[in-house]
Amino acid sequence: MPSAVTPQRRARENSSGEEDSQVSDAGGSSIKRARINLNGDARRTSQSPVLPNGSDALQQETLRARRSKSKHQPGSIVRVKLANFVTYTAVEFLPGPSLNMVIGPNGTGKSTLVCAICLGLGWGPQHLGRAKDVSEYVKHGEQEATIEIELAGDPKRQRRNSVIKCNIKRENNKSTFSIDGKPSNKKAVIELCKSFTIQIDNLCQFLPQDKVVEFAAMTPVELLRSTQRAVAPQEMLDMHDELKEHRQKQRSMQAKAQADQDALENLENRQRMQADDVQRMRDREVIKERVRLMEASRPFPAYRAAKKSFVEAKKTKKEAIDELDKLKNDVEPSMRVLNAKEEYQRQIEAATNAKRKAVADAEKTADNIDRKLQSLLGRKGELEAEVEAEKNSARETRKDITRTQGTIVALKRRIDEEQPDLDISGYNERIRGKQKANDEAGQKVLDLKRQLIDIGSRGQGRKERIIQAQKDLENLESQAGQRENKLRQASQDTFKAWEWIKEHQDEFEKPVFGPPMVECSVADPRYVDQIETLLQRGQMLMITCQTKNDFKKLGDILHDRLHLAEINMQHMTGTLADFPPPIERDQLGRYGLTGWALDYITGPEPVMAMLCANVRLERTGVGDHDTTPEQFELLQNGPIENWVTRRSSYKIVRRREYGPSATSTNVRDVRRAQVWTNQPIDMGAKRDLQENIEGWTGEITELKSEAATAQKEIEELRNTIRETAEEIRDLQTEKAGKQKLLSELRALPTKLAQQVEKLATAQQSISELRQRLAQIKEKQDQLTQERAEAAIEYVGAIETLQARHLEVYEAEIMLIEANSDLATLAEKNAAQKELLVLKGREVEHLDKELARLRTAATHLLQKVKEVMALVSEQGDDALDDYIKGLSEEQTSEQLEEEIESEKARLELMHEGNDRGVIKEFESREKRIATLRTNLEGLKEDLEQAGERIQGVRERWEPELDRLVGLISRSFGENMKEIGCAGEVGVSKEDDFENWSIKILVKFRETEPLTALDSHRQSGGERAVSTIFYLMSLQSLTRSPFRVVDEINQGMDPRNERLVHRRMVGIACGGDGLLRDSVAENHHEVNGMEKSFDSVTVGNGDGGEDDVLGDGGEVGGGGGKGVPQSQYFLITPKLLPSLTYARGMRVLCIASGEYMPEVSDKVDFRGCVDLARGLRREVAVR
């Protein structure tokens, strides 16, 4: 199925699902929209003027209205101005103070006015039920939309009307606001609106088209709150909220009181049940006390046992030590020899290590002395080098003295000579003259090179034209070539893209298909006009990709690399199997159709699937003759929504939310085919191409001749430039030589002074050199003495090192002998030594065991002391007596058996926590007393809460009953006007949260009043009830304006006419109702949208905009002196001969390709005046 489309532009946003844009063909011709009359046949709208020429006399007979006295009440809308908003490029609405009927064909922008009111007054798009982001309300192709709304001011608070301006940015999806030209924010705008009691979020006041279903689904509870917001003061809502809050608190207190009462009864019952058990539990305390004494005395028998074990272990250890000493005495002679040998071996090893360290120290000392000798030798070389350098410097200085003296003599001689003359300006003039000639020649070369480049570019252009013309000659002879020529004429960018795709098909995952203009064809030429009529220009130029990766890759290449703008692309993964027709083809005959549009067009399957997804070819019928009224009736009630005949194309639009009868039909003419036609070869075009090729070939020959001439001139000028440049260089060299000579002569005195100073410096340097040589000689003597001393020291170090090496060798030999003797003795005494080691380990084990027993006995002794200290601190005489009475023979095991026996007796007597039960019994007594106190306090709080609820209810309920009664009386009268019955009441529950509005209606004499819901009444009946309920709020309204968008769509003509008459009577007053048949002669302007949209205004105020009204006083629908709120009724259709009142204003919206660029050219007033004059003339005759 299609996943993404990249269109060049869209003619009109189609956000509501009801708007239909007109399509122009490639040549720019327009398609007119036809209206279906009541008989089912189509009549094309005439483009001729409403009246013929010479109608001035009729215009004079038109009645002029008198000026109305009705004014805009505070907060009502005086003006709405839009720019680049949804379908509008620029428009301004001037609604009247009472009923405003906004009419116009589908798609012209009626609901756009509703959207502008909502967004312009600060509310969000969620209240419209359409797009979620405000940026989607910016007109396609624009970056910013503007909404300006003027609200009538309150004379008591304001000196002038309030003007709210809203700017919507597409880029960051943000809205900015200003009030009276000053920057503001959304919160301030909403606060201003609330000060006028404007409630856009209340469906009783503001009911946009896409919220009609939501209003119908509103629960009675929600309807009560919305009704109060619409007609009651804020105090009523506050009191209702206060009642709900008090009732909730009262219920909470009642629940708490009941819970406390239940808890009190439960506690009292438990106390009675546990009284006997508590007494038995107290008897058990004696046994528990004995168990406590026994458990506390556990450390005493344990300590006695540990002390006994310690004494026995100590005796065993002493015996083992005695045996170890006897064994040591037996092996002592042999071990003494072994130990002496071990001591000797350790001494020899220590001496050897000491001598090895002495060798290392001697080596280190010798190395240090050697490095010192090397350092002294290096210093000797440095001093010799310094002496040689000083001598060389002396020789060079003497040479400089000789040269300087000669230079001084020469300089004095040259100073005495005569200085030559030099004419610098003459040289410069001659050089500039030759340079100017060279520059002129160079400029001529540049001009000739530019001429050559231009000649080459022109020649290359002629060659490319010749190649393209040759291709065009070949394409003229093939049908595919003709279609590609048509593609180039239709869109240069798409043609370039298709040429690139054909050359790079191997770079894609799956084949990429070109536009249907070149990929598809119509099999039967009889239906080519119908098929092309179904396709818009963008669909004829659509490129089809089969994978997402190919779609993204191709889009990046065409836009970013090739910089092509007019490109239409679509990713298509579905097949033709995904697009089944609604009925079989053999059933089309009864509708006057011969087949589906898909049957008459051939092409690659992905391209065909793309066309089905966009144009619904598989669901569009095709016929070869016009549709009869009978066939039209079948089609209108059948499953086919689109079909095309020989001369017209039909599209049925169904509004299912308004019932099955809410349909409209769009009709447009079939245009002549321009693409899929089999036309003969254009011989004139062929001759033009051949003549162009011959002409371009001759031009190329002439260009080559011009290029050769220009190249020859360039070579001649280059030779001249080289010769002149050589002459310039010679002059510059001669000038530079003379300038150098003159400069040198002028600098001779300075040079002479420098040379004299240099001579004095050299002579001074010779004197200092002798002193430095003497110092270096002293350093050399000192160095020679230090070297001699270091050499003597080095010889001594070497002799010492040799002596240390001999000592090491002797010590190592002695160590080897000692190790051998020690190994022999150790082998002989191994058995005795092993026995001695085992006995030593036994002694160590006994020592560790004795230490463990000592630790255990000490730990138990500490516990005994702790118990005794506790007895002393707490004065526990019972425990003291029990411990003193313990038998010396009693063991820990016996004590544990007694403890377990007593615990078993406790378990047999009672299960549970005795102490906890007693404590719980006592705690429960305290809780019972606390609960009794709390219940007394809650009873007092409940009495006070009941009094508060009764006080608020006595103020709120009568006022609510009064308001609902007024609404019910008005609702009943409205229903009675159309021969039905109805009433409104309040359903009162114990919980104020559940109070609701109950609407009862009766549409037939034989049925009783029943509740209004989606199960009992039809869609039309619910629509009638809804609009009458809203109208019933009119006289009680606190809102300055109300908006209802297309609420009449689900009504039959009778109910719609009655509802309209009643609405006019309520909104504009009962007086001055007129019958106007302008709707019978309605004319519409259709077609493609231009940069200007027109709104025609008709009102009854007698001013400049009074087109449909006859003036006169109008009465308020709610009684004399009662201000009426402003009303907006939006509808795409009108019945003829509807009721019209002087207080009404009709806003006729027209939008299309035939709209003039300047609004002043649209004189709807004159059209209406002329039409009204004609009708009056006919009535007189």
Side-chain angles (χ1 to χ4, degrees):
M1 299 304 293
S3 62
V5 180
T6 309
Q8 174 200 357
R9 68 180 294 272
R10 51 184 176 179
R12 179 176 299 151
E13 295 286 346
N14 194 0
S15 59
S16 65
E18 65 163 356
E19 300 176 3
D20 183 28
S21 61
Q22 298 302 306
V23 181
S24 63
D25 60 9
S29 61
S30 63
I31 306 301
K32 304 172 183 176
R33 180 186 299 171
R35 181 183 294 276
I36 302 301
N37 60 21
L38 297 178
N39 296 325
D41 56 345
R43 295 180 298 176
R44 187 166 56 207
T45 302
S46 173
Q47 299 302 316
S48 60
V50 178
L51 292 176
N53 295 331
S55 58
D56 294 339
L58 294 177
Q59 295 184 36
Q60 298 298 329
E61 297 177 6
T62 304
L63 296 177
R64 299 302 178 186
R66 292 164 293 174
R67 189 172 303 276
S68 173
K69 296 182 180 179
S70 59
K71 300 293 183 182
H72 287 82
Q73 65 166 301
S76 61
I77 298 175
V78 178
R79 177 175 57 88
V80 179
K81 185 176 182 180
L82 309 177
N84 298 326
F85 185 76
V86 189
T87 60
Y88 291 111
T89 299
V91 69
E92 186 173 25
F93 296 90
L94 300 173
S98 54
L99 179 61
N100 293 273
M101 295 199 60
V102 184
I103 63 175
N106 286 329
T108 53
K110 301 180 300 301
S111 297
T112 301
L113 173 60
V114 180
C115 298
I117 293 174
C118 176
L119 299 179
L121 294 181
W123 273 264
Q126 68 272 16
H127 300 292
L128 297 172
R130 293 194 172 191
K132 296 181 179 180
D133 297 328
V134 293
S135 61
E136 298 184 35
Y137 291 88
V138 180
K139 184 178 176 66
H140 179 68
E142 303 293 338
Q143 296 301 316
E144 180 180 356
T146 302
I147 306 172
E148 186 176 306
I149 300 178
E150 182 178 349
L151 301 179
D154 186 354
K156 298 178 181 179
R157 298 184 293 117
Q158 297 169 310
R159 299 175 58 185
R160 58 182 180 180
N161 295 343
S162 299
V163 178
I164 301 173
K165 188 173 183 180
C166 171
N167 291 324
I168 303 175
K169 301 284 186 179
R170 181 189 296 276
E171 181 179 0
N172 54 7
N173 192 32
K174 296 292 184 182
S175 300
T176 58
F177 293 87
S178 65
I179 300 177
D180 295 332
K182 299 179 181 179
S184 186
N185 53 40
K186 185 175 182 179
K187 181 178 179 181
V189 172
I190 294 180
E191 289 297 328
L192 176 62
C193 294
K194 288 183 177 180
S195 68
F196 289 115
T197 66
I198 296 174
Q199 301 172 5
I200 298 296
D201 54 345
N202 189 348
L203 295 181
C204 287
Q205 294 186 6
F206 190 85
L207 188 60
Q209 176 181 347
D210 294 280
K211 290 286 186 175
V212 173
V213 176
E214 181 179 334
F215 182 84
M218 186 181 293
T219 65
V221 174
E222 295 171 341
L223 186 58
L224 174 61
R225 181 165 184 83
S226 296
T227 301
Q228 288 187 93
R229 291 183 61 198
V231 302
Q234 183 62 35
E235 291 77 11
M236 290 283 290
L237 286 170
D238 295 340
M239 285 190 289
H240 192 187
D241 292 337
E242 186 178 357
L243 283 172
K244 290 188 285 186
E245 182 181 356
H246 288 333
R247 175 66 76 186
Q248 185 177 5
K249 291 181 179 179
Q250 185 186 46
R251 287 183 178 277
S252 177
M253 287 188 292
Q254 289 173 345
K256 189 176 187 308
Q258 185 61 42
D260 288 351
Q261 182 65 37
D262 294 342
L264 177 61
E265 294 175 358
N266 182 37
L267 291 175
E268 290 175 343
N269 291 333
R270 291 176 65 184
Q271 286 295 86
R272 289 191 294 270
M273 293 172 61
Q274 287 186 348
D276 296 336
D277 294 338
V278 168
Q279 184 59 40
R280 285 195 304 271
M281 291 175 187
R282 287 171 178 166
D283 295 338
R284 296 177 66 244
E285 291 298 321
V286 177
I287 298 175
K288 292 174 68 177
E289 176 65 14
R290 178 171 174 77
V291 171
R292 182 186 72 83
L293 296 175
M294 289 189 292
E295 289 179 341
S297 62
R298 278 172 174 165
F300 291 90
Y303 171 69
R304 287 196 293 268
K307 183 178 179 181
K308 182 178 180 182
S309 298
F310 173 75
V311 172
E312 293 175 354
K314 187 176 181 181
K315 180 179 178 182
T316 303
K317 177 185 175 184
K318 185 176 182 306
E319 293 174 354
I321 291 174
D322 292 341
E323 292 177 359
L324 179 61
D325 292 341
K326 184 176 180 302
L327 184 60
K328 287 181 179 180
N329 292 331
D330 293 341
V331 299
E332 193 270 336
S334 58
M335 292 301 296
R336 187 184 303 115
V337 176
L338 179 61
N339 292 336
K341 184 57 70 175
E342 287 180 349
E343 179 63 23
Y344 174 73
Q345 187 266 346
R346 284 195 294 271
Q347 293 175 357
I348 294 299
E349 185 175 8
T352 302
N353 291 334
K355 292 183 180 299
R356 288 172 180 167
K357 184 176 182 302
V359 169
D361 293 340
E363 289 178 349
K364 184 176 181 182
T365 301
D367 290 340
N368 291 336
I369 296 172
D370 182 60
R371 284 194 292 272
K372 182 178 179 182
L373 283 172
Q374 296 299 326
S375 175
L376 293 173
L377 184 61
R379 289 177 59 191
K380 176 185 176 184
E382 293 175 359
L383 292 174
E384 291 176 351
E386 288 182 11
V387 171
E388 186 62 28
E390 293 293 345
K391 290 180 179 180
N392 292 334
S393 177
R395 284 193 292 269
E396 292 297 328
T397 302
R398 291 189 182 96
K399 291 179 181 180
D400 288 342
I401 291 172
T402 303
R403 286 194 296 270
T404 303
Q405 290 173 346
T407 301
I408 292 172
V409 173
L411 289 173
K412 290 180 178 180
R413 188 184 305 115
R414 291 188 63 185
I415 289 173
D416 296 336
E417 294 177 356
E418 184 179 357
Q419 298 183 1
D421 295 331
L422 175 63
D423 186 7
I424 299 297
S425 60
Y427 278 103
N428 291 339
E429 186 65 28
R430 292 166 62 190
I431 291 173
R432 281 197 295 269
K434 293 185 178 294
Q435 186 64 49
K436 182 177 179 182
N438 239 13
D439 292 342
E440 293 175 354
Q443 185 61 42
K444 290 181 180 179
V445 170
L446 290 176
D447 294 341
L448 290 172
K449 285 184 177 180
R450 293 192 188 97
Q451 184 178 350
L452 282 176
I453 293 172
D454 180 62
I455 291 171
S457 176
R458 288 157 59 193
Q460 184 63 31
R462 300 301 186 274
K463 289 180 182 179
E464 292 176 356
R465 292 181 184 178
I466 290 173
I467 294 172
Q468 185 61 46
Q470 291 172 346
K471 290 182 180 179
D472 293 343
L473 281 175
E474 296 175 359
N475 291 336
L476 283 175
E477 300 176 359
S478 65
Q479 187 176 15
Q482 294 179 14
R483 291 182 183 172
E484 290 188 356
N485 285 335
K486 293 177 181 178
L487 176 61
R488 185 193 300 122
Q489 296 171 5
S491 173
Q492 283 287 341
D493 286 355
T494 306
F495 175 76
K496 292 177 182 177
W498 177 231
E499 290 294 316
W500 187 91
I501 292 170
K502 288 189 296 183
E503 296 176 0
H504 300 82
Q505 280 283 7
D506 55 344
E507 299 181 11
F508 299 100
E509 296 176 357
K510 290 186 178 182
V512 177
F513 296 96
M517 184 180 290
V518 298
E519 294 280 10
C520 300
S521 61
V522 178
D524 193 338
R526 294 179 301 169
Y527 299 101
V528 66
D529 292 345
Q530 290 95 315
I531 298 301
E532 284 199 23
T533 298
L534 295 175
L535 302 181
Q536 300 181 12
R537 181 174 180 271
Q539 295 156 354
M540 292 287 284
L541 300 176
M542 188 75 69
I543 297 173
T544 304
C545 299
Q546 300 188 69
T547 67
K548 289 184 178 179
N549 293 335
D550 289 346
F551 179 83
K552 184 178 184 303
K553 179 179 181 180
L554 182 59
D556 294 341
I557 291 173
L558 297 182
H559 291 95
D560 299 338
R561 188 192 305 175
L562 302 182
H563 305 292
L564 302 178
E566 189 183 12
I567 298 297
N568 297 324
M569 294 172 52
Q570 184 160 339
H571 165 222
M572 191 70 206
T573 57
T575 63
L576 290 177
D578 299 326
F579 302 96
I583 60 175
E584 297 297 331
R585 182 176 180 179
D586 54 7
Q587 300 179 21
L588 294 175
R590 60 193 294 261
Y591 298 102
L593 304 175
T594 59
W596 301 107
L598 184 61
D599 300 333
Y600 298 103
I601 185 171
T602 60
E605 184 173 1
V607 180
M608 301 293 290
M610 180 274 295
L611 292 176
C612 289
N614 289 280
V615 191
R616 306 178 71 182
L617 296 177
E618 84 285 359
R619 303 179 66 87
T620 302
V622 177
D624 55 2
H625 61 275
D626 294 337
T627 302
T628 65
E630 293 78 11
Q631 293 170 346
F632 181 84
E633 185 69 23
L634 288 173
L635 288 165
Q636 194 174 28
N637 299 318
I640 302 175
E641 297 180 352
N642 302 285
W643 74 93
V644 58
T645 63
R646 181 177 300 174
R647 291 185 292 182
S648 301
S649 172
Y650 300 82
K651 179 178 180 180
I652 296 178
V653 179
R654 293 185 173 92
R655 302 298 300 275
R656 302 188 185 280
E657 64 269 26
Y658 298 120
S661 60
T663 62
S664 61
T665 305
N666 298 327
V667 183
R668 52 197 178 106
D669 288 349
V670 172
R671 64 173 182 265
R672 294 292 302 273
Q674 300 292 329
V675 178
W676 292 316
T677 57
N678 296 323
Q679 298 178 352
I681 298 176
D682 189 349
M683 297 306 296
K686 183 176 181 180
R687 283 193 301 271
D688 291 341
L689 290 173
Q690 291 173 344
E691 291 175 359
N692 288 337
I693 291 173
E694 293 177 359
W696 291 331
T697 304
E699 291 180 6
I700 289 175
T701 303
E702 294 177 358
L703 291 173
K704 288 181 179 179
S705 176
E706 292 180 9
T709 302
Q711 189 63 41
K712 182 178 179 181
E713 292 182 9
I714 288 173
E715 290 299 329
E716 293 176 354
L717 288 171
R718 284 177 176 171
N719 293 332
T720 302
I721 290 171
R722 282 193 292 270
E723 294 174 357
T724 305
E726 187 66 29
E727 294 176 359
I728 291 172
R729 281 194 296 273
D730 293 342
L731 286 172
Q732 289 175 341
T733 302
E734 183 180 349
K735 172 188 172 184
K738 291 185 177 183
Q739 284 180 328
K740 182 179 179 182
L741 177 60
L742 184 59
S743 298
E744 290 177 353
L745 291 175
R746 292 174 178 173
L748 287 178
T750 303
K751 288 183 177 181
L752 179 59
Q754 293 174 350
Q755 292 299 321
V756 170
E757 183 179 357
K758 182 179 179 182
L759 178 60
T761 302
Q763 292 172 348
Q764 178 67 24
S765 176
I766 292 296
S767 175
E768 294 173 353
L769 177 60
R770 294 189 185 95
Q771 297 176 2
R772 288 197 297 273
L773 287 174
Q775 293 174 356
I776 293 173
K777 181 68 169 104
E778 292 178 359
K779 291 180 181 179
Q780 286 177 333
D781 294 342
Q782 180 67 27
L783 183 62
T784 301
Q785 182 179 355
E786 291 178 1
R787 286 183 61 202
E789 294 173 354
I792 295 171
E793 187 180 358
Y794 182 70
V795 171
I798 294 298
E799 292 175 353
T800 302
L801 179 61
Q802 290 175 350
R804 296 293 180 269
H805 274 294
L806 290 175
E807 292 175 358
V808 169
Y809 298 151
E810 293 173 357
E812 288 179 346
I813 292 172
M814 293 175 68
L815 179 61
I816 293 171
E817 293 175 351
N819 287 335
S820 177
D821 295 342
L822 180 61
T824 302
L825 287 173
E827 186 177 356
K828 290 179 180 180
N829 296 281
Q832 294 179 349
K833 189 175 183 179
E834 182 178 359
L835 181 61
L836 188 63
V837 169
L838 291 175
K839 183 55 70 175
R841 290 177 181 173
E842 181 182 353
V843 172
E844 290 178 0
H845 174 70
L846 291 173
D847 187 57
K848 291 180 180 178
E849 180 64 18
L850 184 63
R852 185 185 67 80
L853 292 172
R854 181 186 291 108
T855 302
T858 303
H859 179 66
L860 290 171
L861 179 60
Q862 182 65 29
K863 286 189 175 181
V864 169
K865 292 180 179 180
E866 290 176 357
V867 172
M868 296 307 296
L870 186 63
V871 169
S872 176
E873 290 177 3
Q874 296 181 354
D876 194 345
D877 297 336
L879 180 59
D880 187 33
D881 295 340
Y882 183 82
I883 292 172
K884 291 178 180 179
L886 286 174
S887 172
E888 292 292 336
E889 302 298 328
Q890 188 178 25
T891 63
S892 296
E893 291 75 11
Q894 294 172 346
L895 183 61
E896 292 296 331
E897 289 177 359
E898 293 181 9
I899 292 173
E900 292 298 327
S901 176
E902 294 296 329
K903 287 184 177 180
R905 290 179 61 193
L906 287 175
E907 291 178 357
L908 290 174
M909 290 180 65
H910 182 73
E911 294 182 1
N913 185 1
D914 299 344
R915 187 178 300 275
V917 171
I918 297 173
K919 186 176 181 180
E920 180 183 357
F921 186 83
E922 295 172 351
S923 175
R924 193 180 297 119
E925 285 290 344
K926 296 179 181 178
R927 291 179 58 193
I928 289 173
T930 302
L931 284 174
R932 287 171 179 167
T933 303
N934 291 342
L935 281 173
E936 293 296 330
L938 282 174
K939 288 180 181 178
E940 295 179 1
D941 293 341
L942 283 172
E943 291 177 359
Q944 294 176 2
E947 292 174 358
R948 286 194 296 269
I949 291 174
Q950 186 64 27
V952 176
R953 183 172 181 173
E954 289 176 354
R955 290 184 289 118
W956 174 71
E957 185 176 7
E959 184 64 19
L960 178 63
D961 291 338
R962 186 187 68 81
L963 289 175
V964 175
L966 294 174
I967 296 172
S968 179
R969 188 158 54 251
S970 177
F971 182 74
E973 293 175 357
N974 292 335
M975 295 294 288
K976 184 177 179 181
E977 286 290 330
I978 63 172
C980 302
E983 65 181 36
V984 181
V986 180
S987 177
K988 302 178 180 180
E989 303 289 341
D990 183 57
D991 192 347
F992 292 103
E993 291 277 357
N994 298 326
W995 282 42
S996 60
I997 287 290
K998 187 175 182 181
I999 301 177
L1000 301 177
V1001 295
K1002 182 177 73 172
F1003 286 91
R1004 298 163 188 83
E1005 290 291 340
T1006 58
E1007 65 182 15
L1009 286 170
T1010 57
L1012 178 66
D1013 57 33
S1014 59
H1015 304 290
R1016 295 185 178 90
Q1017 289 81 24
S1018 66
E1021 291 171 344
R1022 292 197 303 274
V1024 170
S1025 302
T1026 299
I1027 191 63
F1028 276 168
Y1029 184 81
L1030 294 178
M1031 291 163 57
S1032 300
L1033 305 179
Q1034 181 76 5
S1035 60
L1036 305 175
T1037 184
R1038 300 183 67 253
S1039 176
F1041 66 85
R1042 296 179 184 274
V1043 176
V1044 179
D1045 191 356
E1046 299 194 19
I1047 193 66
N1048 60 332
Q1049 286 298 316
M1051 301 181 189
D1052 56 38
R1054 175 182 174 275
N1055 284 338
E1056 183 176 355
R1057 193 179 303 280
L1058 293 173
V1059 167
H1060 181 268
R1061 177 178 178 82
R1062 188 61 181 164
M1063 182 183 298
V1064 172
I1066 291 176
C1068 301
D1071 299 333
L1073 294 182
L1074 303 176
R1075 185 75 62 179
D1076 201 334
S1077 59
V1078 173
E1080 295 179 348
N1081 297 293
H1082 57 273
H1083 296 275
E1084 60 182 358
V1085 181
N1086 299 318
M1088 291 296 291
E1089 182 180 355
K1090 295 288 187 178
S1091 61
F1092 170 77
D1093 300 297
S1094 173
V1095 179
T1096 305
V1097 180
N1099 59 20
D1101 58 9
E1104 293 182 357
D1105 294 334
D1106 188 6
V1107 176
L1108 297 180
D1110 288 338
E1113 300 289 339
V1114 293
K1120 187 174 182 180
V1122 178
Q1124 293 299 297
S1125 68
Q1126 192 178 39
Y1127 218 107
F1128 290 87
L1129 177 63
I1130 289 86
T1131 177
K1133 64 186 181 75
L1134 283 178
L1135 299 174
S1137 301
L1138 289 176
T1139 301
Y1140 177 75
R1142 296 187 182 94
M1144 291 173 55
R1145 178 168 294 187
V1146 181
L1147 306 177
C1148 302
I1149 301 179
S1151 175
E1153 63 177 337
Y1154 296 109
M1155 296 303 302
E1157 298 293 341
V1158 182
S1159 60
D1160 296 340
K1161 295 184 179 180
V1162 185
D1163 188 8
F1164 284 99
R1165 182 193 314 280
C1167 296
V1168 173
D1169 287 345
L1170 294 177
R1172 188 178 278 167
L1174 282 175
R1175 290 197 304 273
R1176 296 182 187 279
E1177 183 180 0
V1178 171
V1180 171
R1181 294 178 181 176

